Amino acid sequence: MTSALLAGLGLGLSLIVAIGAQNAYILQVAARGRGTAAVVAVCIASDVLLICAGVAGLGAAVSGRPTLLTVVTWAGVVVLIGYGLRSLWSARHTAGLTAGGRSAASVAAAVTAALALTWLNPHVYLDTVLLLGSASTRYGPDRWWFAAGAVVASIGWFCLLGFGAQRLSGTLGRPAVWRALNLGIGILLLVLALRLATMPLGG
C-alpha cells in the first residue's frame, strides 16, 4: 500500500510539474489575481477524473481509437494557437495590471479556457490516462493507492502553483514582468501547438 502510494505521488509529480499549457495558464490567471481558486479547482477536478479513468482501464480503450486522438490533437492545436496569440497580443498591448484590468477578466472565461487547455490537450490523455493508468497495473489491488498518490501530487502542485503565484500577483502585475510573462507563455503555447501538430499519433 505505502509503496503504491509513494510511487503514484512520485510519478504524478514528475508528470505534472513540467511546464505545460495548464501550468502556464494558471500562472497567467494568478497574476491577474482573479479566478485563481476556480481555475485551480477545475484543473484538480479534471486531473482526478483522468487519473481515476486511467487506473480504471480507460487508457487501453483510448489507445485503441486513433481517430479520436487525431480529432482531439487538432482541436488542441487550434486552442493552443489561439491562446498563444492572445498572450502575445497582451504582451504587446497591455501596459500592466491595473485594478480595472484585474477585475475585467471574467471568472467564467478563465474557467472555460482552463477546461479547453486541459481537455483538448492530447498530452493530458497520454500522460495522465495512458501512462499513469499503465503504471498502476503493476500494483494489482493496490492500484487505487497508486491513484491516491497521483491525486495528492495533483492537488498539492496546483494549489502551490496557483496560490503561490497569486501571492506574488503584485510583482507579476508590474508592466515589465507582465509583458515578459505573457510573452513567455505565448511562445510556450505556440511551441506546444507545433509539437502537437508534428506529433506521431500512432506512437
Side-chain angles (χ1 to χ4, degrees):
M1 180 186 80
T2 302
S3 62
L5 183 70
L6 292 177
L9 179 66
L11 183 56
L13 279 175
S14 69
L15 292 174
I16 201 172
V17 169
I19 292 297
Q22 255 187 339
N23 290 343
Y25 187 67
I26 289 174
L27 279 174
Q28 200 175 45
V29 171
R32 288 199 299 259
R34 180 179 173 84
T36 304
V39 168
V40 166
V42 164
C43 291
I44 289 174
S46 298
D47 245 30
V48 170
L49 286 174
L50 290 165
I51 289 168
C52 291
V55 173
L58 184 62
V62 173
S63 64
R65 296 177 179 271
T67 301
L68 176 62
L69 188 57
T70 300
V71 171
V72 173
T73 294
W74 286 105
V77 168
V78 172
V79 168
L80 289 172
I81 289 175
Y83 284 107
L85 293 176
R86 191 177 75 169
S87 291
L88 294 179
W89 184 92
S90 183
R92 181 175 177 83
H93 295 90
T94 305
L97 286 177
T98 62
R102 293 179 193 272
S103 62
S106 163
V107 174
V111 167
T112 300
L115 287 169
L117 290 171
T118 299
W119 291 92
L120 294 179
N121 183 357
H123 284 298
V124 169
Y125 298 97
L126 294 174
D127 290 345
T128 309
V129 177
L130 295 178
L131 201 157
L132 277 173
S134 298
S136 71
T137 59
R138 74 182 66 178
Y139 295 97
D142 285 339
R143 70 185 188 279
W144 289 108
W145 285 107
F146 179 92
V151 166
V152 170
S154 175
I155 294 172
W157 172 252
F158 283 132
C159 288
L160 177 65
L161 180 66
F163 299 119
Q166 188 175 47
R167 289 183 66 86
L168 297 173
S169 61
T171 299
L172 295 175
R174 292 174 183 170
V177 178
W178 179 244
R179 283 195 296 269
L181 179 66
N182 273 306
L183 178 63
I185 289 173
I187 292 172
L188 172 65
L189 294 181
L190 292 179
V191 168
L192 290 174
L194 178 62
R195 286 181 58 191
L196 277 184
T198 57
M199 180 179 67
L201 299 179

